[in-house]
Amino acid sequence: MSEEEKDQRNKPLPKDSPERFQPKVLIIWLVIIGAILSLYLFSEPQGQKSQEWTIKDVLNAVEDGRIKEGTIKAEPTGGQNWSEIHLVLTGMQADGGQRVIAHGRLTDENLERLQATGLFKEVPASTLLTEVILTLLPFVIIIGILYFLFVRQLRVAGRGAMNFGKSKAKMLTRDREKVTFADVAGCDEAKEEVQEIVEFLKDPKKFQRIGGHIPKGVLLVGGPGTGKTLLARAVAGEADVPFFSIGGSDFVEMFVGVGAARVRDMFEQGRKNAPCIIFIDEIDAVGRQRGAGLGGGNDEREQTLNSLLAEMDGFESHEGVIIIAATNRPDVLDSALLRPGRFDRQITIDMPDLAGREEILKVHAKKITMNKEIDLNIVARNTSGFSGADLENLLNEGALLAARYGKKEVESADLDEARDKIAFGRERRRLMDDEDKRISAYHEAGHALVAALIGDKNLPVHKVSIIPRGQSLGSTMFIPKKDILNQQKKRVSNQICTLMGGRVSEEVVFDDITSGASQDIKMATEIARHMVCDWGMSDMGPVAYGENQDHIFLGKEITRDQNYSEKTAQHIDSEIYKIIEAQHRRSTELITEHREVLEKIAQALLEYETLEGKHVYEIIEFGEIRSPVFKKVEVPKAIVNESPDEEKEKVKEGKKNEELGPDTEPALA
């Protein structure tokens, strides 16, 4: 047995563990067993018929030798005089082993005659204590069962009602929390910030010698899936101090004043265990701005926030208690909560860059059996915009797909399919007639053709498909070659032109339009509005219009006046229309000029359903597809009651498809 297994075995079990000895459960079982035994011992045996004899009948049976053995129980009514007795005879051979009860007055002479036979044993007469016990025992058993079933439950419920003000913070230990800084990747700056806190807790004199003091609070800010909670768990795994964890929603209950009481109790626990770290996840649930909203502030939530503000930096200090909080909505937090002295540091955790994505993939790839030919740098380049949680999900989905296909390790094709599934939705075979397929093929061919002709090197065509994904009947996919940090006017104009390609293709080919371009129109309008109102990319100049993006329930938007006139609003609408109309004409010119290429791309889509980006570029350059196009290999189904010949044919076909394999190029130049 390894040392780790021995430590785990010697580790005390928690109170709620099913393996831990529970005295209460033992008592309940003893009461139940006692009740069953009492009913068995004091009840008349079933299946036996009792006969009632007189003392004379018993004496005659003794003389005739019909009694094998018996017992005598004499019950005096008082003093030394024998009165009514019950004579119980057992083990009767002559009468078929029947149970006989004899009632009558047993005189000394008859008693001596029975004793002289040597067949009878005398049982001591029952006392008053025995009678009382036998009478009260059934009631005691019933009351005991009712106590354990009802009274104790009511007592626990009452105790729980008195504990509403107790903090729900859970204390984590190093043995239970195995996450360390080595498990956190893609956010080196944030790791350095929190590592400094851990170093201060381990060696505070290092910082105190030059007059520095530890931050009282650290606020982790970042989008969903960027690793805020994971970073806090790493702090818990690295720090040699108590670590308390609680969610922001755990403070608020249905009873007034509970949240504030729990905040006070949480800091009281922290002071008793100082130095320690308290982690509050999703602090925006309790730290929202006070006095906001249409109907006034929520008094209960505001009381909780006031208590939190006072405990963090109030009249009483909490030296040694460090607060780490996480949120993805810093804009809704109260300004008093964010000031220095409460949250001294605000650590922003952004989406990982190329190097960060590669590090994250390396961390999660340790748990998955992957093909040695997979280059994680290429995977990282093709997952621009993915968060840490998305990358973990990417590898997990790839492993699940490889298992579905019966593979022993994850291959590049599995990761490509998993990436498309996460970014663009899962393929779903929807029943479509020939007309709908033809419309969808020309629509997607229009997007692909315009995007390929424009020639944005940083945003090439990745894949074109008329297989429905998500809510769309078809999709044209683009994967950026690098992280896009700035939006250029030429690039966003090209995006609008590409979005218009599907609608223009329908107009040119069918001389009609459909509702399939609804999402394209919405996206194009949104981009054009940003160009006019936010980015200053129109004839209206570098002026911001309608920058108010606050939510109405923060109590700001309804009190802020519109910062431009009605005439300016009409001018904004005119500029948006002008931008979209210009790109619509541009897209029309491109598709009309390359009508033959459009037809070839659409026909290839109708034949193969899915084309790689390189196939689109080959059609534009050479007028035909020169690279092989492979259809997707379906998931193998279980073979049931098939002949050996049929099974061999399926194995051969599977090997052939595996040798060919789908195209694994992650991006196109």
Side-chain angles (χ1 to χ4, degrees):
M1 183 181 296
S2 64
E3 294 295 332
E4 185 177 353
E5 292 177 350
K6 289 181 180 178
D7 295 340
Q8 191 69 20
R9 192 170 183 178
N10 297 330
K11 184 180 178 181
L13 296 171
K15 293 182 179 181
D16 298 334
S17 174
E19 300 179 5
R20 188 182 180 93
F21 175 71
Q22 300 285 349
K24 300 177 182 179
V25 178
L26 178 62
I27 294 174
I28 294 175
W29 278 109
L30 289 177
V31 170
I32 295 174
I33 293 172
I36 295 174
L37 290 177
S38 301
L39 294 174
Y40 175 77
L41 293 175
F42 296 103
S43 62
E44 185 176 345
Q46 299 296 324
Q48 293 185 352
K49 296 181 179 180
S50 300
Q51 297 182 6
E52 296 202 6
W53 287 5
T54 63
I55 300 299
K56 184 177 180 180
D57 295 332
V58 175
L59 295 174
N60 293 335
V62 170
E63 293 177 355
D64 296 340
R66 290 187 289 128
I67 297 179
K68 191 70 176 177
E69 60 182 3
T71 58
I72 299 175
K73 182 180 179 182
E75 298 183 357
T77 56
Q80 300 296 326
N81 298 324
W82 297 94
S83 184
E84 287 287 333
I85 66 166
H86 298 278
L87 182 64
V88 182
L89 308 177
T90 59
M92 296 179 58
Q93 301 297 325
D95 292 329
Q98 292 182 342
R99 187 168 180 264
V100 179
I101 301 176
H103 299 278
R105 186 177 182 82
L106 187 63
T107 61
D108 294 340
E109 181 182 355
N110 294 336
L111 180 61
E112 291 177 358
R113 289 175 61 185
L114 294 175
Q115 291 175 345
T117 61
L119 301 175
F120 297 90
K121 296 179 181 179
E122 290 190 53
V123 178
S126 60
T127 61
L128 179 61
L129 180 61
T130 306
E131 291 291 337
V132 171
I133 292 175
L134 294 178
T135 304
L136 297 180
L137 182 61
F139 296 99
V140 172
I141 292 173
I142 294 173
I143 293 173
I145 294 175
L146 293 176
Y147 172 79
F148 282 106
L149 291 180
F150 299 104
V151 178
R152 290 185 63 83
Q153 297 296 328
L154 294 175
R155 180 180 297 179
V156 171
R159 189 184 301 119
M162 299 302 295
N163 287 337
F164 271 117
K166 298 295 182 182
S167 172
K168 290 187 177 182
K170 298 179 181 179
M171 182 175 178
L172 304 180
T173 61
R174 188 182 178 90
D175 296 333
R176 291 180 56 189
E177 201 61 45
K178 298 296 182 182
V179 179
T180 62
F181 286 134
D183 300 319
V184 181
C187 51
D188 296 336
E189 295 81 3
K191 282 171 60 176
E192 291 176 2
E193 295 278 356
V194 295
Q195 276 179 331
E196 194 173 282
I197 295 175
V198 175
E199 290 177 5
F200 185 94
L201 292 171
K202 292 181 178 180
D203 186 15
K205 295 182 180 179
K206 175 182 177 182
F207 299 87
Q208 292 174 350
R209 277 194 294 265
I210 57 177
H213 65 275
I214 193 168
K216 294 183 179 180
V218 177
L219 182 65
L220 304 178
V221 179
T226 51
K228 302 183 295 297
T229 306
L230 180 65
L231 190 61
R233 292 174 61 192
V235 174
E238 293 284 349
D240 292 327
V241 296
F243 189 94
F244 295 92
S245 175
I246 190 171
S249 60
D250 291 335
F251 290 107
V252 182
E253 290 281 355
M254 62 182 291
F255 297 101
V256 177
V258 169
R262 285 182 176 172
V263 170
R264 291 190 294 269
D265 185 70
M266 179 182 67
F267 278 89
E268 184 65 28
Q269 292 183 34
R271 279 189 285 267
K272 291 179 181 178
N273 294 276
C276 70
I277 297 175
I278 298 177
F279 174 62
I280 305 176
D281 199 7
E282 304 297 345
I283 195 174
D284 52 277
V286 69
R288 284 178 176 265
Q289 182 178 347
R290 293 169 291 180
L294 293 175
N298 185 333
D299 291 338
E300 170 61 16
R301 182 176 54 77
E302 289 191 5
Q303 288 179 15
T304 306
L305 177 57
N306 291 334
S307 179
L308 180 62
L309 295 174
E311 291 290 344
M312 289 191 68
D313 189 26
F315 193 76
E316 295 183 4
S317 64
H318 60 283
E319 190 68 29
V321 181
I322 301 172
I323 307 297
I324 299 179
T327 181
N328 54 7
R329 294 294 309 278
D331 54 317
V332 303
L333 295 180
D334 193 275
S335 57
L337 191 65
L338 300 178
R339 73 162 176 82
R342 292 198 173 101
F343 283 110
D344 301 273
R345 291 185 180 180
Q346 294 187 28
I347 302 176
T348 302
I349 305 177
D350 293 323
M351 291 290 183
D353 56 7
L354 176 60
R357 290 195 298 273
E358 186 175 358
E359 292 178 5
I360 294 172
L361 289 170
K362 288 179 180 179
V363 170
H364 295 299
K366 297 176 182 178
K367 308 173 186 177
I368 297 176
T369 305
M370 301 182 67
N371 193 312
K372 296 181 180 179
E373 297 179 357
I374 295 179
D375 189 353
L376 293 180
N377 182 267
I378 295 178
V379 178
R381 288 182 182 277
N382 296 323
T383 51
S384 177
F386 277 43
S387 65
D390 292 331
L391 294 172
E392 181 183 9
N393 189 33
L394 170 70
L395 295 181
N396 183 61
E397 287 288 346
L400 296 178
L401 287 171
R404 287 177 59 196
Y405 287 113
K407 301 178 183 178
K408 295 183 179 179
E409 58 184 9
V410 180
E411 300 176 355
S412 297
D414 302 317
L415 294 181
D416 290 341
E417 187 174 349
R419 180 196 58 213
D420 294 342
K421 179 180 178 182
I422 295 172
F424 309 109
R426 186 179 184 275
E427 289 185 355
R428 51 189 180 91
R429 297 286 176 175
R430 188 171 183 176
L431 185 61
M432 297 171 61
D433 57 17
D434 294 338
E435 183 181 0
D436 290 332
K437 282 186 177 180
R438 190 163 177 264
I439 294 174
S440 180
Y442 278 96
H443 183 100
E444 300 305 330
H447 286 308
L449 177 60
V450 173
L453 292 174
I454 289 174
D456 191 343
K457 295 181 179 180
N458 293 322
L459 198 66
V461 180
H462 167 62
K463 188 181 293 185
V464 188
S465 176
I466 59 172
I467 299 175
R469 283 181 181 267
Q471 300 297 323
S472 62
L473 297 178
S475 55
T476 303
M477 309 173 199
F478 305 89
I479 293 182
K481 297 288 290 182
K482 68 172 187 176
D483 296 339
I484 298 176
L485 303 179
N486 292 310
Q487 296 289 356
Q488 301 173 354
K489 182 178 180 180
K490 185 177 180 181
R491 176 181 296 162
V492 293
S493 299
N494 290 341
Q495 290 180 9
I496 296 176
C497 184
T498 302
L499 289 169
M500 292 291 104
R503 166 59 67 91
V504 172
S505 178
E506 294 177 8
E507 295 173 354
V508 172
V509 176
F510 302 104
D511 195 22
D512 195 3
I513 56 177
T514 67
S515 61
S518 60
Q519 289 298 322
D520 300 333
I521 295 173
K522 289 180 181 178
M523 292 179 63
T525 306
E526 183 179 354
I527 294 173
R529 187 172 296 277
H530 279 300
M531 292 176 67
V532 175
C533 299
D534 300 325
W535 301 333
M537 297 179 180
S538 68
D539 295 338
M540 296 186 69
V543 180
Y545 300 98
E547 61 180 351
N548 187 3
Q549 300 293 332
D550 295 324
H551 294 267
I552 190 170
F553 288 103
L554 291 182
K556 295 180 180 179
E557 184 172 349
I558 58 175
T559 61
R560 190 177 298 180
D561 295 332
Q562 189 173 348
N563 57 1
Y564 51 84
S565 64
E566 292 296 331
K567 183 178 179 180
T568 304
Q570 294 177 4
H571 197 182
I572 290 173
D573 294 338
S574 176
E575 285 294 323
I576 292 173
Y577 174 78
K578 187 189 300 183
I579 291 174
I580 295 178
E581 183 59 26
Q583 298 305 320
H584 183 273
R585 289 195 305 269
R586 180 186 176 196
S587 181
T588 304
E589 293 172 0
L590 290 172
I591 290 179
T592 304
E593 184 180 352
H594 299 83
R595 174 67 183 273
E596 294 181 1
V597 179
L598 178 70
E599 293 286 346
K600 291 180 180 180
I601 297 175
Q603 293 302 321
L605 283 172
L606 290 172
E607 181 179 357
Y608 298 108
E609 291 186 332
T610 300
L611 296 177
E612 298 293 331
K614 64 179 181 180
H615 300 143
V616 176
Y617 289 102
E618 288 173 355
I619 293 175
I620 295 174
E621 185 176 358
F622 306 108
E624 61 180 358
I625 297 177
R626 295 191 173 183
S627 301
V629 181
F630 304 108
K631 290 190 176 181
K632 182 181 174 182
V633 181
E634 297 295 334
V635 179
K637 298 181 180 179
I639 300 174
V640 182
N641 297 329
E642 292 183 349
S643 64
D645 295 335
E646 291 176 342
E647 186 173 348
K648 289 180 181 178
E649 289 295 329
K650 289 202 171 187
V651 172
K652 288 181 181 178
E653 184 178 354
K655 288 184 177 179
K656 182 179 179 182
N657 290 331
E658 189 174 348
E659 290 174 359
L660 293 174
D663 180 66
T664 57
E665 283 193 21
L668 300 173

